[in-house]
Amino acid sequence: MERIVILAPALVPVAYFLGGLAMFSVLCLIGQRPDVGERRKHSTFFYFFIDYFIWMLRPIERFLVKSGRITPNHLTFTSLAACASAGLAIGLNHMATAGWLYIFAGALDILDGRLARATNQQSKAGAFLDSITDRWGELFVFTGFAWFLHGSPWLLAVMLAVCGSLMVSYTRARGELLGIALDGGNMQRAERIALVSIGTLITAWFNAARDTQEYGVHVIGVALLIVGVGSTGTALSRWVQGYRMLREREENASTRVAPEPTSPSTIRR
């Protein structure tokens, strides 16, 4: 019965998204892949699913644009509240609730930026607000996991995930400040939300029965470890890439300003 409760909120959405996945896959196979306007570099594995997810959110996006009553900031703060609620639910071992809340927060995180672009409300202030709330949102969720796993060796996986995730964001922000774009990698925010949400729901599935409860903590532990290792790898890759780009730019600049050598024939004696 508890497992039915876990799946109940998803029955209609799952049917909707599975039907959409079939349609999206057919469009891709016949060479008519929808352009969702996503230009950020994601991992090859997730790129298909991210485009598909954005494509499925388009009806909601169009509704928000036509209504004109909801601003991107409304979505940003609602996403932050959902992350905080998810973190609290994780700490209290309500994994199913936490998983759905984090998926909801991830959808809002996609929609706020797209709504801002569609309604011409893009601004540096909005981008700053969105970036900071994203970091707080992840910290809320990881804090919940730290509390949930505080007596387990998997706490180290939470710490690695926190450090890796923050460094991915920091290296990109520092790169932008220095005039270089560092937006690639295999474990960006979208990938982290997907892995953590799926791991949380699978953990809830195992926790729903007494004979499988002992496996739940290991499921979410492995998911967090993957996030931690992947995020750290992405951060290190951006670090090396950024250093090389800056060194190349500095070398090119020094070459341009270097004086041309004077030939012996032009030297006055």
Side-chain angles (χ1 to χ4, degrees):
M1 175 59 90
E2 292 184 16
R3 287 180 171 172
I4 295 177
V5 173
I6 292 172
L7 292 175
L11 294 179
V12 174
V14 163
Y16 170 73
F17 277 98
L18 285 178
L21 178 61
M23 185 179 299
F24 187 81
S25 300
V26 170
L27 291 174
C28 292
L29 287 173
I30 63 177
Q32 297 184 13
R33 180 168 180 160
D35 182 7
V36 298
E38 176 66 12
R39 297 293 179 262
R40 187 176 298 180
K41 298 177 182 178
H42 293 283
S43 61
T44 303
F45 177 76
F46 278 97
Y47 212 104
F48 171 85
F49 292 100
I50 290 171
D51 278 4
Y52 152 71
F53 191 62
I54 294 175
W55 182 67
M56 293 298 292
L57 291 176
R58 273 188 162 180
I60 300 175
E61 179 186 340
R62 287 193 290 267
F63 170 78
L64 293 174
V65 171
K66 290 181 179 180
S67 69
R69 297 180 180 180
I70 299 176
T71 68
N73 287 350
H74 288 150
L75 300 182
T76 298
F77 284 117
T78 304
S79 176
L80 179 62
C83 286
S85 301
L88 179 61
I90 291 167
L92 297 175
N93 196 16
H94 297 304
M95 291 297 176
T97 301
W100 295 121
L101 281 171
Y102 204 29
I103 291 174
F104 176 63
L108 293 180
D109 186 48
I110 293 173
L111 287 169
D112 61 359
R114 295 182 65 85
L115 180 62
R117 290 189 291 272
T119 57
N120 197 27
Q121 297 184 58
Q122 289 178 285
S123 67
K124 292 183 178 180
F128 176 78
L129 178 68
D130 181 60
S131 179
I132 298 301
T133 53
D134 284 350
R135 304 293 78 74
W136 276 112
E138 282 196 298
L139 286 175
F140 284 143
V141 172
F142 287 138
T143 299
F145 282 120
W147 181 260
F148 176 69
L149 297 169
H150 70 276
S152 166
W154 288 115
L155 178 61
L156 296 175
V158 182
M159 296 171 63
L160 183 62
V162 171
C163 294
S165 300
L166 290 179
M167 288 309 300
V168 167
S169 303
Y170 178 77
T171 50
R172 180 186 178 189
R174 186 62 177 170
E176 290 177 349
L177 185 64
L178 296 173
I180 56 176
L182 301 172
D183 57 356
N186 293 322
M187 194 59 66
Q188 300 180 69
R189 178 164 166 78
E191 288 87 342
R192 296 195 299 269
I193 291 177
L195 284 173
V196 171
S197 299
I198 293 171
T200 303
L201 290 175
I202 295 176
T203 299
W205 179 267
F206 280 107
N207 287 350
R210 291 184 178 180
D211 57 335
T212 57
Q213 280 183 346
E214 60 182 301
Y215 303 114
V217 65
H218 300 298
V219 170
I220 194 58
V222 170
L224 290 168
L225 182 61
I226 294 173
V227 169
V229 172
S231 298
T232 301
T234 297
L236 291 174
S237 175
R238 289 184 177 184
W239 183 14
V240 173
Q241 179 188 4
Y243 177 78
R244 289 176 176 174
M245 292 172 68
L246 290 171
R247 285 289 295 174
E248 182 180 355
R249 189 170 69 181
E250 291 170 354
E251 290 172 358
N252 292 337
S254 63
T255 302
R256 285 195 297 269
V257 300
E260 296 182 1
T262 306
S263 62
S265 61
T266 61
I267 299 177
R268 295 186 178 181
R269 298 181 183 273

